[in-house]
Amino acid sequence: GQNIDQPTEMTATEGAIVQINCTYQTSGFNGLFWYQQHAGEAPTFLSYNVLDGLEEKGRFSSFLSRSKGYSYLLLKELQMKDSASYLCAALKAAGNKLTFGGGTRVLVKP
Amino acid sequence: NAGVMQNPRHLVRRRGQEARLRCSPMKGHSHVYWYRQLPEEGLKFMVYLQKENIIDESGMPKERFSAEFPKEGPSILRIQQVVRGDSAAYFCASSLGQGSGGTEAFFGQGTRLTVV
């Protein structure tokens, strides 16, 4: 089976940095996705890591350690519009099944 | 190139009625996922389909729920004899699928089902 854990909620100040951790346990792992979801809207793709290391994309970076079953999403120079839920999802190679964690709600305060 | 299209966006059903949720994947995508999201919760996997095949339905309730993705036309998630607990947002996602170099899943805007 698959088990994905991430914190429920985080609060940070505008302009600061926040790191959202995600741990996963899955057999046949084939990559880790991060999605952003604003309230009442569809999730939108942020990043995909399949190899160990850090992927940087503007203000957002994502890290993966396959040996530790661990990923994080780093949000820099936080803006008010970054207030949203951030969903970690693991892709299982066999069957191509994408399983999500419960999401981390990030609240950015002025 | 239109994204993933779901309809209706909002659906109200009385207890005991049937709900039919439609999802048209992105052009060229042959893999479709359905997820359910309760308020303040994450996405719960329901079913994964390819054209004319159910690949994984481990998240589907055993009764009242069914899904299909025919050769022609949209994928359909059908809920028979709806109950209040079925009220949720149902999201569809599509991808190119395994072996195609594109595993990213794109989401539709969701169908918000309310059972009264």
Side-chain angles (χ1 to χ4, degrees), chain B residues 17-68:
Chain B
Q17 290 184 319
E18 179 180 282
R20 288 168 64 92
L21 287 62
R22 294 175 183 77
C23 170
S24 297
M26 283 184 72
K27 189 176 181 180
H29 285 193
S30 59
H31 294 233
V32 165
Y33 301 84
W34 284 94
Y35 292 87
R36 177 163 61 179
Q37 188 173 39
L38 295 170
E40 312 298 323
E41 294 189 10
L43 294 165
K44 293 286 192 278
F45 170 81
M46 298 183 75
V47 63
Y48 166 45
L49 309 106
Q50 294 176 22
K51 284 283 186 181
E52 299 185 279
N53 285 305
I54 296 175
I55 306 303
D56 184 334
E57 56 181 347
S58 57
M60 289 277 272
K62 293 287 185 283
E63 297 176 350
R64 302 188 298 109
F65 284 72
S66 62
E68 62 176 8

XYZ file of all heavy atoms in Angstrom, chain B residues 17-68:
437
model
N -31.427 9.530 -5.530
C -31.287 9.746 -6.970
C -29.910 9.288 -7.449
O -29.040 8.931 -6.666
C -31.493 11.227 -7.307
C -32.923 11.699 -7.132
C -33.102 13.143 -7.581
O -32.246 14.004 -7.321
N -34.212 13.417 -8.256
N -29.727 9.340 -8.764
C -28.441 8.986 -9.350
C -27.680 10.247 -9.742
O -28.286 11.235 -10.180
C -28.654 8.115 -10.600
C -27.361 7.724 -11.294
C -27.574 6.862 -12.528
O -27.823 5.653 -12.352
O -27.488 7.406 -13.648
N -26.382 10.198 -9.580
C -25.520 11.306 -10.012
C -24.572 10.788 -11.086
O -23.959 9.732 -10.922
C -24.726 11.860 -8.837
N -24.473 11.537 -12.185
C -23.550 11.186 -13.258
C -22.597 12.346 -13.473
O -23.024 13.451 -13.808
C -24.312 10.875 -14.555
C -25.066 9.555 -14.509
C -26.022 9.437 -15.670
N -25.354 9.412 -16.960
C -24.974 8.302 -17.586
N -25.186 7.128 -17.025
N -24.388 8.358 -18.758
N -21.316 12.072 -13.295
C -20.287 13.098 -13.407
C -19.445 12.763 -14.642
O -19.020 11.632 -14.817
C -19.398 13.116 -12.165
C -19.974 13.674 -10.857
C -21.173 12.882 -10.351
C -18.894 13.722 -9.789
N -19.206 13.789 -15.454
C -18.504 13.570 -16.714
C -17.126 14.226 -16.714
O -16.952 15.304 -16.149
C -19.321 14.113 -17.883
C -20.619 13.357 -18.114
C -21.460 13.978 -19.187
N -22.721 13.272 -19.343
C -23.759 13.390 -18.531
N -23.694 14.208 -17.503
N -24.857 12.699 -18.752
N -16.202 13.579 -17.393
C -14.848 14.106 -17.488
C -14.295 13.849 -18.877
O -14.210 12.697 -19.308
C -13.958 13.442 -16.447
S -12.200 13.800 -16.664
N -13.943 14.911 -19.571
C -13.259 14.787 -20.857
C -11.792 15.105 -20.641
O -11.445 16.231 -20.253
C -13.876 15.744 -21.883
O -15.224 15.408 -22.139
N -10.914 14.136 -20.869
C -9.486 14.384 -20.615
C -8.909 15.345 -21.631
O -9.547 15.687 -22.637
C -8.863 12.992 -20.773
C -9.800 12.255 -21.683
C -11.162 12.785 -21.375
N -7.694 15.775 -21.354
C -6.981 16.622 -22.306
C -6.773 15.846 -23.604
O -6.647 14.612 -23.584
C -5.628 17.041 -21.729
C -5.724 18.144 -20.708
S -4.109 18.692 -20.130
C -3.532 19.566 -21.580
N -6.680 16.564 -24.685
C -6.490 15.945 -25.992
C -5.219 15.108 -25.980
O -4.143 15.565 -25.566
C -6.396 17.025 -27.065
C -6.405 16.479 -28.479
C -6.412 17.609 -29.492
C -6.451 17.064 -30.912
N -6.454 18.129 -31.930
N -5.349 13.861 -26.404
C -4.180 12.985 -26.465
C -3.939 12.186 -25.204
O -3.120 11.265 -25.189
N -4.642 12.524 -24.136
C -4.480 11.782 -22.879
C -5.396 10.570 -22.871
O -6.590 10.675 -23.178
C -4.813 12.673 -21.684
C -3.757 13.677 -21.369
N -3.746 14.399 -20.186
C -2.670 14.072 -22.046
C -2.693 15.187 -20.183
N -2.028 15.015 -21.301
N -4.824 9.431 -22.467
C -5.630 8.212 -22.450
C -5.796 7.638 -21.050
O -6.358 6.562 -20.885
C -4.990 7.150 -23.357
O -3.681 6.865 -22.902
N -5.270 8.359 -20.050
C -5.346 7.893 -18.674
C -6.180 8.885 -17.874
O -5.938 10.097 -17.934
C -3.949 7.780 -18.060
C -3.101 6.731 -18.691
N -2.471 5.750 -17.957
C -2.785 6.484 -19.984
C -1.798 4.953 -18.784
N -1.975 5.380 -20.006
N -7.111 8.358 -17.105
C -8.009 9.209 -16.315
C -8.051 8.708 -14.872
O -8.130 7.511 -14.621
C -9.433 9.198 -16.909
C -10.443 9.768 -15.916
C -9.484 10.022 -18.197
N -7.980 9.659 -13.951
C -8.101 9.363 -12.525
C -9.327 10.106 -11.993
O -9.599 11.231 -12.400
C -6.901 9.906 -11.736
C -5.537 9.409 -12.122
C -4.835 9.996 -13.165
C -4.918 8.391 -11.409
C -3.562 9.575 -13.499
C -3.639 7.967 -11.727
C -2.970 8.560 -12.773
O -1.706 8.138 -13.092
N -10.002 9.491 -11.045
C -11.056 10.183 -10.300
C -10.659 10.240 -8.828
O -10.210 9.245 -8.251
C -12.399 9.459 -10.420
C -13.096 9.658 -11.740
C -13.039 8.850 -12.840
C -13.977 10.731 -12.090
N -13.823 9.346 -13.841
C -14.419 10.503 -13.421
C -14.457 11.849 -11.412
C -15.300 11.365 -14.076
C -15.338 12.694 -12.063
C -15.745 12.443 -13.392
N -10.865 11.435 -8.238
C -10.585 11.645 -6.819
C -11.804 12.295 -6.160
O -12.528 13.052 -6.790
C -9.385 12.585 -6.630
C -8.069 12.011 -7.077
C -7.655 12.134 -8.415
C -7.227 11.356 -6.193
C -6.451 11.599 -8.834
C -6.016 10.827 -6.599
C -5.637 10.953 -7.921
O -4.447 10.432 -8.330
N -11.945 12.033 -4.873
C -12.996 12.681 -4.082
C -12.322 13.541 -3.012
O -11.329 13.119 -2.401
C -13.907 11.644 -3.426
C -14.970 12.240 -2.523
C -16.094 11.276 -2.215
N -15.653 10.074 -1.526
C -16.492 9.109 -1.152
N -17.784 9.207 -1.393
N -16.032 8.046 -0.537
N -12.891 14.716 -2.792
C -12.337 15.611 -1.767
C -13.461 16.128 -0.891
O -14.354 16.834 -1.364
C -11.579 16.781 -2.410
C -10.828 17.642 -1.402
C -9.962 18.691 -2.075
O -10.338 19.301 -3.075
N -8.777 18.921 -1.524
N -13.375 15.764 0.379
C -14.315 16.302 1.359
C -13.802 17.662 1.822
O -12.602 17.935 1.722
C -14.442 15.337 2.535
C -15.067 13.977 2.179
C -14.932 13.013 3.344
C -16.520 14.141 1.783
N -14.673 18.522 2.335
C -14.229 19.848 2.792
C -13.064 19.749 3.777
O -13.080 18.919 4.684
C -15.485 20.412 3.463
C -16.621 19.718 2.790
C -16.117 18.328 2.500
N -12.088 20.600 3.567
C -10.919 20.688 4.450
C -10.059 19.419 4.434
O -9.202 19.249 5.301
C -11.331 20.976 5.913
C -12.330 22.107 6.080
C -11.787 23.438 5.598
O -10.580 23.698 5.796
O -12.554 24.222 5.005
N -10.244 18.540 3.486
C -9.447 17.320 3.425
C -8.691 17.228 2.101
O -8.912 18.003 1.185
C -10.341 16.090 3.613
C -10.960 16.003 4.998
C -11.661 14.691 5.239
O -11.517 13.762 4.428
O -12.358 14.602 6.263
N -7.794 16.243 2.027
C -7.017 16.035 0.809
C -7.798 15.238 -0.214
O -8.952 14.883 -0.035
N -7.135 14.949 -1.310
C -7.741 14.184 -2.389
C -7.634 12.691 -2.088
O -6.555 12.191 -1.803
C -7.022 14.478 -3.713
C -7.155 15.892 -4.241
C -6.117 16.154 -5.316
C -8.534 16.123 -4.804
N -8.756 12.001 -2.205
C -8.763 10.556 -1.970
C -8.944 9.849 -3.308
O -9.939 10.071 -4.010
C -9.898 10.159 -1.022
C -9.714 10.684 0.387
C -8.647 9.932 1.140
C -8.663 10.255 2.624
N -7.957 11.484 2.938
N -7.984 8.997 -3.635
C -8.034 8.255 -4.888
C -9.266 7.354 -4.929
O -9.605 6.684 -3.953
C -6.768 7.408 -5.026
C -6.805 6.421 -6.155
C -6.531 6.823 -7.446
C -7.111 5.085 -5.926
C -6.548 5.913 -8.494
C -7.134 4.171 -6.957
C -6.862 4.586 -8.256
N -9.920 7.360 -6.087
C -11.071 6.460 -6.250
C -10.775 5.391 -7.295
O -10.831 4.203 -7.016
C -12.313 7.257 -6.666
C -12.771 8.276 -5.651
S -14.276 9.101 -6.152
C -15.489 7.821 -5.855
N -10.458 5.848 -8.518
C -10.322 4.887 -9.607
C -9.405 5.450 -10.669
O -9.301 6.676 -10.848
C -11.716 4.549 -10.187
C -12.382 5.784 -10.787
C -11.651 3.425 -11.206
N -8.730 4.541 -11.365
C -7.815 4.905 -12.443
C -8.222 4.085 -13.663
O -8.328 2.866 -13.590
C -6.389 4.622 -11.996
C -5.338 4.620 -13.075
C -5.281 5.606 -14.050
C -4.362 3.631 -13.093
C -4.298 5.594 -15.018
C -3.373 3.622 -14.055
C -3.339 4.602 -15.025
O -2.358 4.593 -15.977
N -8.457 4.772 -14.771
C -8.943 4.109 -15.973
C -8.095 4.478 -17.177
O -7.548 5.585 -17.256
C -10.393 4.534 -16.286
C -11.436 4.451 -15.178
C -11.765 5.844 -14.665
C -12.686 3.797 -15.677
N -8.009 3.544 -18.084
C -7.547 3.823 -19.434
C -8.730 3.537 -20.353
O -9.726 2.981 -19.930
C -6.344 2.954 -19.784
C -5.120 3.266 -18.951
C -3.960 2.334 -19.251
O -3.894 1.722 -20.314
N -3.048 2.215 -18.313
N -8.574 3.874 -21.590
C -9.685 3.665 -22.525
C -10.211 2.224 -22.440
O -9.461 1.264 -22.628
C -9.211 3.925 -23.946
C -9.052 5.397 -24.284
C -10.362 6.071 -24.533
C -10.167 7.511 -25.003
N -11.454 8.192 -25.232
N -11.480 2.107 -22.097
C -12.204 0.826 -22.047
C -11.692 -0.123 -20.972
O -12.118 -1.278 -20.926
C -12.167 0.122 -23.415
C -12.810 0.932 -24.526
C -12.864 0.163 -25.843
O -11.841 0.140 -26.541
O -13.939 -0.398 -26.137
N -10.809 0.336 -20.097
C -10.301 -0.543 -19.044
C -10.254 0.166 -17.699
O -9.874 1.329 -17.613
C -8.867 -0.996 -19.372
C -8.842 -2.047 -20.449
O -9.496 -3.071 -20.336
N -8.076 -1.787 -21.486
N -10.637 -0.555 -16.660
C -10.425 -0.078 -15.296
C -9.114 -0.683 -14.818
O -8.980 -1.904 -14.746
C -11.577 -0.491 -14.368
C -12.874 0.177 -14.822
C -11.263 -0.109 -12.917
C -14.096 -0.266 -14.030
N -8.136 0.170 -14.509
C -6.814 -0.309 -14.125
C -6.748 -0.548 -12.619
O -6.177 -1.518 -12.156
C -5.714 0.683 -14.546
C -5.814 0.993 -16.036
C -4.340 0.158 -14.162
C -5.727 -0.230 -16.930
N -7.312 0.379 -11.859
C -7.230 0.289 -10.399
C -8.477 0.946 -9.830
O -8.692 2.126 -10.041
C -5.962 0.998 -9.909
C -5.734 0.867 -8.405
O -6.707 0.674 -7.641
O -4.574 0.997 -7.975
N -9.297 0.187 -9.158
C -10.507 0.746 -8.532
C -10.483 0.516 -7.031
O -11.537 0.428 -6.387
C -11.769 0.163 -9.160
C -11.864 -1.343 -9.128
C -13.133 -1.866 -9.796
O -14.054 -1.071 -10.070
O -13.201 -3.092 -10.027
N -9.300 0.464 -6.463
C -9.166 0.142 -5.046
C -9.761 1.213 -4.132
O -10.036 0.946 -2.969
C -7.693 -0.077 -4.693
O -6.930 1.055 -5.028
N -9.964 2.420 -4.637
C -10.542 3.475 -3.812
C -12.036 3.657 -3.987
O -12.642 4.525 -3.356
N -12.622 2.849 -4.799
C -14.066 2.972 -5.055
C -14.847 2.219 -3.987
O -14.542 1.064 -3.676
C -14.421 2.379 -6.414
C -13.938 3.204 -7.571
S -15.042 4.544 -7.957
C -16.137 3.675 -9.085
N -15.881 2.841 -3.429
C -16.773 2.078 -2.540
C -17.342 0.882 -3.299
O -17.564 0.940 -4.508
C -17.865 3.101 -2.206
C -17.221 4.429 -2.404
C -16.266 4.253 -3.529
N -17.563 -0.189 -2.557
C -17.968 -1.440 -3.208
C -19.354 -1.354 -3.817
O -19.675 -2.035 -4.793
C -17.928 -2.587 -2.185
C -16.521 -2.916 -1.709
C -15.722 -3.646 -2.782
C -14.359 -4.082 -2.282
N -13.395 -2.993 -2.225
N -20.193 -0.546 -3.258
C -21.569 -0.460 -3.738
C -21.880 0.949 -4.214
O -21.292 1.914 -3.763
C -22.537 -0.860 -2.611
C -22.365 -2.304 -2.156
C -23.261 -2.652 -0.991
O -23.868 -1.739 -0.407
O -23.350 -3.854 -0.658
N -22.780 1.045 -5.141
C -23.385 2.286 -5.653
C -22.480 3.092 -6.564
O -22.972 3.944 -7.288
C -23.877 3.190 -4.490
C -24.880 2.552 -3.566
C -25.444 3.560 -2.584
N -24.423 4.134 -1.713
C -23.984 5.389 -1.792
N -24.461 6.225 -2.707
N -23.052 5.833 -0.956
N -21.189 2.873 -6.550
C -20.258 3.662 -7.353
C -19.757 2.819 -8.532
O -19.413 1.651 -8.365
C -19.052 4.110 -6.523
C -19.335 5.246 -5.585
C -20.104 5.045 -4.450
C -18.816 6.514 -5.825
C -20.361 6.090 -3.575
C -19.064 7.563 -4.951
C -19.832 7.347 -3.825
N -19.686 3.451 -9.697
C -19.089 2.786 -10.845
C -18.455 3.841 -11.740
O -18.816 5.024 -11.684
C -20.133 1.984 -11.627
O -21.147 2.849 -12.136
N -17.508 3.407 -12.550
C -16.827 4.334 -13.453
C -16.556 3.631 -14.767
O -16.385 2.417 -14.813
C -15.523 4.834 -12.835
N -16.536 4.426 -15.816
C -16.214 3.888 -17.129
C -15.478 4.940 -17.942
O -15.599 6.152 -17.696
C -17.478 3.450 -17.866
C -18.462 4.563 -18.141
C -19.662 4.098 -18.952
O -19.802 2.887 -19.165
O -20.448 4.953 -19.371
